[in-house]
Amino acid sequence: RGGWRPTWVGDLAPGEAILFPPGTVHETTTTSHECAASITFQFATPPPVLHWDERFPALRRLWDVHECWAQFDLPYASLLAPPASSAALPVRELFFLSLQLGGLLPVRARRLAVQRHAELDADADGCLSVAELPPPPRRALGTAEAWPGALASLFDVDADGCVAAAEVGSVIERWALVQRAVAEEWLPPPRAIARQFRAEARVSGAGMPERR
């Protein structure tokens, strides 16, 4: 309500281009009386996971980019998914998995992340290498070669070349905290759900379930 307050505003002259990450809310306006034509080209590699992670609290609440929510969740959900299923699950199924996992208490999500770190750490050296990180899910942005490196940049918080269990836990916990907060913000209160159920039951002729 009240319109947007853009973070960046710029003018493009004929022949110029602008580059911004996927999931960026944008709007274009022609400032002259002449006709204007533009072409959009999407770069899938490298996946902009650091940009998504930095702005995730806002992006996850922004309905304008709801079709991108599944992509935003993939780096976290793919790491938490069972090893054999991460690459096999399509983006949509991983998104629902992420909603389920994001509904966990953030502390529990951290424990699950630490457990997955141990399962992925094949050489048990306490650090996840790029080779040990899970492959990209189907239809994920980026190539199969670029995806593990993108995950490493996301979870290697101190950029020392070692993706430690504590780092994975902290990133996943932060993500789960946003997911849970959004779910609580959007979930109608119990009384509202009951009123809606009664209204639908009256229309359909069905009764409310008996209490036992």
Side-chain angles (χ1 to χ4, degrees):
R1 182 175 298 179
W4 293 101
R5 290 184 297 175
T7 304
W8 299 284
V9 178
D11 294 324
L12 293 181
E16 293 184 333
I18 184 171
L19 177 67
F20 51 83
T24 301
V25 178
H26 58 282
E27 181 181 35
T28 58
T29 301
T30 302
T31 56
S32 70
H33 297 291
E34 300 176 356
C35 295
S38 61
I39 297 175
T40 299
F41 186 86
Q42 296 184 350
F43 297 91
T45 301
V49 294
L50 291 179
H51 167 77
W52 291 344
D53 183 68
E54 179 184 357
R55 306 189 68 86
F56 184 69
L59 292 172
R60 187 58 183 83
R61 291 173 168 88
L62 194 58
W63 181 255
D64 299 68
V65 293
H66 72 277
E67 69 276 8
C68 298
W69 285 347
Q71 287 288 345
F72 299 155
D73 279 333
L74 284 186
Y76 317 96
S78 63
L79 187 133
L80 290 175
S85 66
S86 177
L89 288 175
V91 167
R92 184 174 178 82
E93 290 185 28
L94 266 179
F95 177 55
F96 288 120
L97 172 63
S98 73
L99 293 178
Q100 178 184 0
L101 294 170
L104 298 174
L105 289 173
V107 173
R108 188 177 176 189
R110 173 190 281 268
R111 289 199 296 266
L112 180 61
V114 171
Q115 176 185 334
R116 286 289 293 118
H117 182 281
E119 294 170 354
L120 292 168
D121 188 12
D123 56 9
D125 65 347
C127 295
L128 293 183
S129 65
V130 172
E132 291 172 323
L133 289 167
R138 283 187 288 161
R139 297 185 181 178
L141 286 179
T143 62
E145 294 76 19
W147 181 262
L151 287 187
S153 66
L154 171 63
F155 290 106
D156 187 9
V157 178
D158 58 9
D160 66 348
C162 171
V163 179
E167 293 175 311
V168 171
S170 66
V171 172
I172 291 294
E173 183 179 27
R174 185 178 70 243
W175 164 76
L177 184 62
V178 173
Q179 289 281 56
R180 188 172 183 86
V182 171
E184 292 176 353
E185 292 166 10
W186 287 17
L187 183 66
R191 290 184 180 179
I193 297 176
R195 285 195 299 269
Q196 180 67 21
F197 187 92
R198 291 190 181 94
E200 293 176 357
R202 284 195 296 269
V203 172
S204 63
M208 289 287 288
E210 297 181 0
R211 292 186 178 181
R212 298 183 182 275

